[in-house]
């Protein structure tokens, strides 16, 4: 959907050069990485991402940044499932513990909200390889922009 925009320079000014098709939808970065939103409802989400060559590090394992991006996006979709459409929020803190490398297949992140107050939402995700082995545990704190 965004392929023709991938190389367009972001200026930080004016209108965005893209528009999300829905509140819970992939942004250009998530589409570029190949993420799929399988479910996102009631403070939980599941996303998948195939391990393609563009996600490999130098020894042929999935790059840790790709795994982190999948987990972070999964928690963000869990959060979107409980916030009003159009809310602004961002990751302000994150942590990831790797348990095993990803060598191939499709990776799955299962996320949920674990704590919430008026502006802060803490979430976690478990990431699994194609065989179902847990490869990473992710935690993050997101902050919701103040309403004016």
């Amino acid at each position: 959907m965004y392929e023709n925009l991938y190389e367009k320079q972001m200026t930080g000014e004016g209108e965005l050069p893209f528009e999300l098709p829905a509140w819970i939808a992939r942004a250009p970065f998530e589409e570029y990485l190949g993420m799929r939103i399988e479910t996102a409802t009631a403070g939980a989400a599941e996303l998948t991402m195939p391990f393609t060559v563009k996600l490999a590090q130098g020894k042929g394992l999935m790059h840790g940044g790709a795994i982190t991006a999948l987990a972070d996006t999964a928690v963000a979709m869990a959060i979107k499932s409980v916030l009003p459409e159009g809310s602004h929020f961002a990751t302000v803190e994150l942590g990831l513990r790797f348990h095993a490398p990803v060598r191939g297949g499709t990776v799955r992140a299962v996320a949920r909200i674990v704590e919430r107050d008026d502006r802060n939402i803490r979430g976690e995700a478990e990431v699994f390889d194609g065989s179902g082995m847990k490869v990473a545990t992710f935690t993050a704190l997101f902050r919701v922009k103040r309403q004016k």
Side-chain angles (χ1 to χ4, degrees):
M1 178 166 74
Y2 305 110
E3 295 91 353
N4 62 335
L5 300 173
Y6 286 158
E7 302 304 321
K8 186 172 178 66
Q9 185 73 36
M10 295 291 291
T11 64
E13 299 174 6
E15 296 290 318
L16 291 175
F18 65 90
E19 185 175 327
L20 295 178
W23 174 234
I24 296 178
R26 298 179 305 168
F29 179 68
E30 295 135 16
E31 178 187 86
Y32 178 75
L33 294 183
M35 292 182 197
R36 279 183 48 117
I37 302 165
E38 304 296 341
T39 62
T41 185
E46 182 175 327
L47 275 67
T48 57
M49 181 173 66
F51 183 7
T52 58
V53 171
K54 68 184 174 188
L55 304 181
Q57 46 87 299
K59 292 295 183 180
L61 305 174
M62 182 177 271
H63 193 284
I67 294 168
T68 304
L70 177 65
D72 185 55
T73 303
V75 174
M77 295 305 155
I79 291 169
K80 278 188 163 191
S81 76
V82 298
L83 289 181
E85 188 166 333
S87 298
H88 292 272
F89 63 96
T91 311
V92 295
E93 176 185 305
L94 61 79
L96 188 98
R97 177 180 292 147
F98 292 103
H99 307 296
V102 176
R103 300 179 190 282
T106 297
V107 179
R108 179 173 54 95
V110 179
R112 67 187 181 96
I113 294 171
V114 295
E115 188 178 335
R116 179 180 179 191
D117 64 29
D118 60 328
R119 289 196 55 221
N120 298 295
I121 303 173
R122 188 167 299 280
E124 63 184 25
E126 293 181 313
V127 183
F128 303 89
D129 69 7
S131 70
M133 179 173 37
K134 185 173 11 174
V135 297
T137 303
F138 175 85
T139 59
L141 177 65
F142 288 74
R143 184 149 302 134
V144 180
K145 184 178 179 182
R146 290 183 203 264
Q147 298 295 327
K148 293 182 180 185

